[in-house]
Structures are given as structure tokens and as C-alpha cells.
Amino acid sequence: MIAVALVALVGCSKQSSDKAEQPSGGSTAAAPAAEKKLVVGFSQVGAESAWRTAETKSIQGEAAKRGVDLKFADAQGKQAQQIQALTSFIAQKVDAIVLAPVVETGWDAVLQQAKDANIPVILVDRGVKVSDDSLYTTLIASDFVEEGRMAAEWLAKKTNAKANIYELQGTTGSAPAIDRKKGFEEILAKNPDMKIVKSQSGDFTRAKGKEVMEAFIKSDGKNIQAVYAHNDDMALGAIQALEEAGMNPGKDVIVISVDAVKAAFEAMVAGKLNATVECNPLMGPLVFDTIDRVRKGEKLPKFIQNKDQLFEQANAAQVIGTREY
Ligand code: GZL
């Protein structure tokens, strides 16, 4: 009787467990729990340039492709808004944070909070200066110092190492502005007849680049032989100012910049911009591959470098059709 009862009991529990675990396909394995969506907080500088827009699109597009729940925050160029966004991401317990830091300093406290919450922080496109580099997992960016060197070396060849140069700097305190200037000046130190006569921030925007160039033209006019802009948007603003003053950008005034966005290629084809150093913004796939590696527990280098190359008028026409941003 006991044996019969036991068999019945096991039989029922088997059937009931079959029934409970029985997925519609008739197999006996429990249906796998739906995989939890990866949740990533992305704090972006703003939308100040075509380059920035391309970077945002690349990261948002890749998140959508991979089914990642991307929480996007545009800081409109303000560090306080980025810190606020990171604090919110930490409170939401996101799986990872992507940060494009508007300036280099002032991040220790909020990055410490992310570290204490065990949330990895991936820096993209700009670096930070922190007391302890364990406060971020890795930086995915170009080498801005090298971009500055490439621009100056090209300009030295173009002008036989003799030029009065007017510099449009990027956002004050940002890694690209600091390092593009540093690399450019490294080469100028070896070419005494290449001089930066005036240098001012145009904040990486076309409008400000035009405004600063108008002031340079007003004070120095014909003395301007070359313009070095830390990004294409400011260069395009400067080109507009030079043309409005009846000057010939690309011919009488040599113009070189950085980013290699589509509008820069159009300006090179039109003969108004002489050269641009590419700084690739299409980081989306690499960003999410890097997050996957972090979550698998891989040890990552502190710097994952995007390779850059220089484009000039001579090759602009045949390259422009291949440009993705
Ligand atoms: C470079 C990026 C710079 C671009 C500008 O990685 O931070 O900021 O060169 C952008 O166009 O505004």
C-alpha cells in the first residue's frame, strides 16, 4: 500500500512538475528566463558639431541594433549636467555608464560613486584627469596630440615652414583642445618661422569660429596666412568670415582643421579648405563590444586608440563618396 502510494505521489508530482515546467514545446526543461536587457547610461557632451552628432547617432544606433536599453542625456556642454546625469544613472543601477566628458577635470567624486556602486565607466572620445585611474575602466578615443602634430607637419610642408598662423581652439579645458594645441606646438618648436600670432577658443562651433575669425580679420587682416582650427565646424565658420572679408580661403589663406566630417570634404572639393585630420566618431560598435568584454570580466587597457589619417584637397573628390559621417 505504501509502495503504491509512493508511486502515485511521485507519478503525480512528476506529472504536476511536468505540467508546471512543461513548455508548450512539450520538452521537460524549464523555459529559460527572458534574458535581462542590458541597461546603459550615456552622458553626451551636447550637439555642438557635426562630429558630435555623428558620434551620438553611432552609439544610439548600435544600442538599438543590440537591443540595449540606452538612457541618453545631452548635457548641452555643461559639466554640471553630466554629473547630474551620472548621479541619476547610478541611482537607477544601470549596468554600465558611457561618458564623453566635456572637460578633463572635476570628475573624481562622481566617478568614485560609480565605482562604489560597482558600475563600470567607459570614457569615449575625450579623456579625464583623475587622482586614480581606476575610477574609469577605459578610454576609447583618438590621440589628439598626434592629430595636432599631423596638422602642423602638413602645414609646414604646405608653407615651406613659414607662416603667420591664427588658431581657433576647441572648448576651453577639453582634452581635444588642450592636446591638439600641444601636438601642433611641438612641431612649431622645430620650425621657428611658423608662428601662432593669435589663438582663441571658438568652442568647437561654426558660429563661434566665424565670430573669432571676424575679430582676427578686423585686427590683423592681410597678416593672416594660415588658419589652424581644432575642428571642421570652426574652420567652416572661419572660411565664411574670410570670404565675407573678400579673402580667398584655401588659396591666399591656408586652412587646416580636424574631424574630417562630410562638410569638410565638400569645402575641400570647393577649394576652400586645404586639409583635415580625421578623428573618427563612429564608435558605437566598439563601445558595446568593450562593455561586453568588461561584463565578461576581461582586463582592458586604459586606452583603446582610434586610428586617424589626414585628408587633403588632392584626394577629397575621390574619397567624399565613401564618407559615413
Ligand atoms: C573629439 C571631440 C571633439 C571634435 C569636435 O573627440 O571631442 O568635440 O573634434 C567635437 O567636433 O565638438
Side-chain angles (χ1 to χ4, degrees):
M1 284 296 286
I2 290 169
V4 169
L6 273 175
V7 167
L9 192 64
V10 167
C12 291
S13 63
K14 184 84 184 71
Q15 274 163 7
S16 60
S17 65
D18 276 359
K19 236 185 250 122
E21 291 169 0
Q22 186 77 23
S24 54
S27 75
T28 52
E35 208 174 298
K36 180 180 167 300
K37 251 193 178 204
L38 185 68
V39 183
V40 174
F42 174 26
S43 171
Q44 177 58 295
V45 168
E48 74 282 359
S49 64
W51 187 98
R52 183 67 52 201
T53 307
E55 182 190 51
T56 297
K57 277 190 188 149
S58 174
I59 292 173
Q60 288 179 326
E62 191 66 20
K65 219 162 95 181
R66 297 184 187 213
V68 170
D69 177 0
L70 186 75
K71 302 193 178 300
F72 177 73
D74 174 333
Q76 286 145 5
K78 296 182 183 68
Q79 180 176 32
Q81 293 205 23
Q82 289 200 288
I83 291 171
Q84 202 177 4
L86 263 60
T87 307
S88 165
F89 294 151
I90 294 164
Q92 295 174 60
K93 296 185 172 37
V94 297
D95 299 307
I97 287 171
V98 175
L99 169 65
V102 60
V103 291
E104 283 191 331
T105 55
W107 300 101
D108 289 67
V110 73
L111 293 180
Q112 187 60 57
Q113 286 167 26
K115 183 178 180 185
D116 294 345
N118 206 19
I119 299 174
V121 176
I122 312 290
L123 300 180
V124 290
D125 111 61
R126 292 184 184 181
V128 295
K129 292 265 184 283
V130 285
S131 54
D132 165 7
D133 72 4
S134 73
L135 290 176
Y136 66 90
T137 303
T138 190
L139 162 64
I140 302 171
S142 290
D143 178 343
F144 302 133
V145 177
E146 182 54 24
E147 290 171 344
R149 292 191 198 103
M150 288 164 75
E153 281 161 354
W154 179 88
L155 191 60
K157 280 200 203 90
K158 183 73 180 176
T159 60
N160 296 318
K162 188 172 172 22
N164 294 328
I165 303 159
Y166 288 71
E167 181 182 31
L168 296 169
Q169 295 185 41
T171 302
T172 304
S174 69
I178 293 167
D179 288 350
R180 284 173 185 164
K181 182 170 190 54
K182 184 175 165 196
F184 193 82
E185 290 178 341
E186 250 182 49
I187 303 303
L188 261 54
K190 300 176 204 163
N191 295 279
D193 290 336
M194 291 176 76
K195 292 183 176 30
I196 295 178
V197 177
K198 284 210 168 114
S199 178
Q200 194 178 328
S201 174
D203 209 16
F204 283 132
T205 69
R206 187 183 285 216
K208 199 88 174 59
K210 180 173 189 283
E211 198 184 297
V212 172
M213 196 68 227
E214 283 164 348
F216 286 164
I217 292 166
K218 194 156 180 262
S219 61
D220 292 37
K222 301 295 175 210
N223 189 42
I224 300 170
Q225 295 171 327
V227 174
Y228 169 47
H230 290 184
N231 83 329
D232 293 334
D233 288 65
M234 293 190 294
L236 294 168
I239 285 166
Q240 198 180 343
L242 289 162
E243 288 187 306
E244 285 174 4
M247 297 166 82
N248 262 322
K251 296 170 189 64
D252 310 338
V253 179
I254 303 299
V255 183
I256 178 157
S257 63
V258 187
D259 279 353
V261 297
K262 179 76 83 140
F265 278 85
E266 288 159 356
M268 286 195 285
V269 169
K272 298 175 181 175
L273 176 68
N274 295 88
T276 179
V277 177
E278 181 182 50
C279 171
N280 197 311
L282 307 180
M283 305 187 189
L286 181 54
V287 165
F288 291 102
D289 287 348
T290 302
I291 291 173
D292 290 347
R293 292 173 64 190
V294 173
R295 290 171 58 76
K296 283 185 199 134
E298 268 190 55
K299 187 91 184 79
L300 296 182
K302 288 315 267 188
F303 181 32
I304 301 174
Q305 183 182 343
N306 285 333
K307 291 290 173 218
D308 294 330
Q309 57 179 312
L310 183 140
F311 294 96
E312 51 188 341
Q313 277 181 11
N315 58 18
Q318 77 256 31
V319 171
I320 191 166
T322 68
R323 301 300 296 167
E324 292 175 65
Y325 67 94

